[in-house]
Amino acid sequence: MRIVISGAAGFVGSHMCDRLLTEGHTIIGLDNFLTGNRTNIGHLARERRFELINQDVTETFSVDGGFDAVIHMASPASPRDYLEHPIETLEVGSVGTRNMLEIALEHGARFLLTSTSECYGDPHVHPQVETYWGNVNPVGPRSCYDESKRFAEAITMAYHRKYGVATRIARIFNTYGPRMKLDDGRVVPAFLDQVLRGEPLTVFGDGSQTRSFCYVSDLVDGLYRLLLSDEIYPVNLGNPNEMTILQFAEAIRDRLNPGAPIAFQPLPEDDPKQRQPDITKARTLLNWEPKVGLDEGIAKTIEYFRDLVAVPA
Ligand SMILES: NC(=O)c1ccc[n+]([C@@H]2O[C@H](COP(=O)([O-])OP(=O)(O)OC[C@H]3O[C@@H](n4cnc5c(N)ncnc54)[C@H](O)[C@@H]3O)[C@@H](O)[C@H]2O)c1
């Protein structure tokens, strides 16, 4: 297939490009480098089947030639990034999603949206199943991200219902791995950065809030299977192995620097207390489940961050 993918220079986008190239596809990547990084796709510089266009997808644009699939991954994704860029986040989820749907419609291409578990907000249903409508504060600080993704899902369904676009929606849960930014505020790079620098690990609240971490190769495998599937309604993709943030901090500390202290700070506003995907649907429909355990995934991620932390600022 010839595939257009927005957010190609981002953390997940760059891994998705690698996977699609491995599968033999040709890629036109679009990115405005708001939160992404050219080095994430630097290894593809000589790849004939990969082209990167500096394009803000909230602006009007067209892509030359035919293509078979459109993957819309562009969006700030870490709380630090979307709190710094709230308007851009809302625009890329709304105008950007519409623009990407328009090119899919025009070219008769299938469309995959990377939505998020943040659509569930601070959930009252646990684990989170796709039929749960969520508990989102529409005016809280995180609403720029949560509501932009909820809008993105709504307009994706509207293009399917009104125009028959073959749409797919992935609700991604916390994912980690190489190419995350050290300073993006997400918990995996934050803990690794702190422990590798010999600083205390910062835990917000009492650390009893839970998260489930999926290694990036597992996620892109799920995204690829979903792209090829016929499922119109959202599908959760994430690792159901849930743990408290404190347990996670201790696991990283014990592995790298058992003497490192843990420092507690106030919980940010609207921080979800629980996160665990119900992946029954992905298991049944896509024959997918995560394969990389936390030890293995963290070891691969540490290798990547060790090099970054070694570079003087
Ligand atoms: N990583 C996760 O844990 C996670 C969880 C849930 C959902 N997601 C979703 O997956 C996608 C990728 O997330 P990520 O972690 O790789 O984030 P990221 O910030 O690393 O990548 C996003 C990419 O989109 C680009 N971008 C942003 N606005 C753009 C615009 N207007 N035009 C063109 N490019 C633009 C950025 O420059 C960046 O390269 C996002 O849609 C995110 O919401 C990720």
Side-chain angles (χ1 to χ4, degrees):
M1 289 193 282
R2 192 162 183 258
I3 300 174
V4 177
I5 167 167
S6 70
F11 158 53
V12 181
S14 63
H15 287 280
M16 191 67 186
C17 290
D18 289 342
R19 173 63 189 265
L20 295 171
L21 288 167
T22 304
E23 297 291 337
H25 304 299
T26 297
I27 298 171
I28 303 115
L30 310 175
D31 208 296
N32 68 349
F33 307 103
L34 178 68
T35 56
N37 193 328
R38 275 186 193 277
T39 57
N40 286 342
I41 31 107
H43 58 290
L44 301 178
R46 288 172 198 282
E47 171 56 65
R48 277 185 304 108
R49 286 181 291 119
F50 179 77
E51 179 190 354
L52 184 71
I53 300 171
N54 185 343
Q55 176 66 56
D56 181 339
V57 298
T58 67
E59 291 168 359
T60 307
F61 66 95
S62 58
V63 175
D64 292 340
F67 44 87
D68 312 284
V70 171
I71 305 179
H72 182 37
M73 305 190 93
S75 172
S78 82
R80 189 169 292 171
D81 283 339
Y82 60 70
L83 293 176
E84 192 182 337
H85 304 290
I87 313 297
E88 291 89 340
T89 302
L90 283 155
E91 278 187 344
V92 76
S94 54
V95 182
T97 305
R98 180 164 190 194
N99 287 344
M100 295 295 283
L101 281 160
E102 276 294 324
I103 64 165
L105 173 61
E106 192 185 323
H107 287 259
R110 64 177 56 204
F111 177 89
L112 170 66
L113 171 72
T114 54
S115 185
T116 171
S117 58
E118 299 301 325
C119 287
Y120 300 122
D122 192 4
H124 292 156
V125 168
H126 192 73
Q128 290 79 59
V129 66
E130 289 88 345
T131 46
Y132 176 51
W133 293 351
N135 175 40
V136 171
N137 176 357
V139 292
R142 303 171 73 108
S143 63
C144 58
Y145 183 62
D146 303 4
E147 297 293 14
S148 92
K149 290 292 187 178
R150 288 167 68 100
F151 178 89
E153 290 195 6
I155 195 167
T156 297
M157 292 306 299
Y159 267 71
H160 170 70
R161 292 193 176 108
K162 185 158 175 75
Y163 300 119
V165 177
T167 54
R168 317 280 178 257
I169 298 174
R171 286 198 186 136
I172 302 172
F173 285 65
N174 289 48
T175 299
Y176 71 99
R179 302 183 197 156
M180 294 183 93
K181 288 185 297 183
L182 256 185
D183 60 350
D184 80 358
R186 286 186 270 197
V187 66
V188 174
F191 283 167
L192 288 178
D193 186 33
Q194 289 168 334
V195 80
L196 289 171
R197 289 183 197 279
E199 294 170 2
L201 282 81
T202 309
V203 165
F204 294 104
D206 62 3
S208 62
Q209 68 276 30
T210 66
R211 297 290 184 271
S212 317
F213 298 104
C214 184
Y215 189 66
V216 66
S217 61
D218 281 331
L219 172 67
V220 299
D221 184 48
L223 290 173
Y224 187 59
R225 286 169 190 249
L226 180 58
L227 177 72
L228 300 184
S229 80
D230 293 326
E231 180 58 20
I232 304 301
Y233 286 97
V235 178
N236 287 339
L237 294 176
N239 194 318
N241 180 19
E242 182 186 17
M243 63 179 67
T244 68
I245 287 293
L246 186 56
Q247 284 171 332
F248 185 59
E250 288 166 349
I252 292 205
R253 176 190 65 178
D254 295 347
R255 190 179 183 114
L256 287 168
N257 182 4
I262 292 182
F264 293 90
Q265 286 198 1
L267 206 57
E269 197 179 332
D270 294 336
D271 198 50
K273 287 180 255 329
Q274 292 180 312
R275 270 277 175 276
Q276 187 194 21
D278 181 321
I279 59 164
T280 309
K281 188 170 176 184
R283 278 197 176 106
T284 314
L285 274 182
L286 311 177
N287 193 23
W288 174 86
E289 63 182 2
K291 295 196 170 58
V292 180
L294 193 66
D295 270 352
E296 185 187 346
I298 287 290
K300 290 179 178 174
T301 311
I302 287 171
E303 283 320 301
Y304 175 78
F305 282 110
R306 217 189 272 283
D307 290 347
L308 289 192
V309 173
V311 177

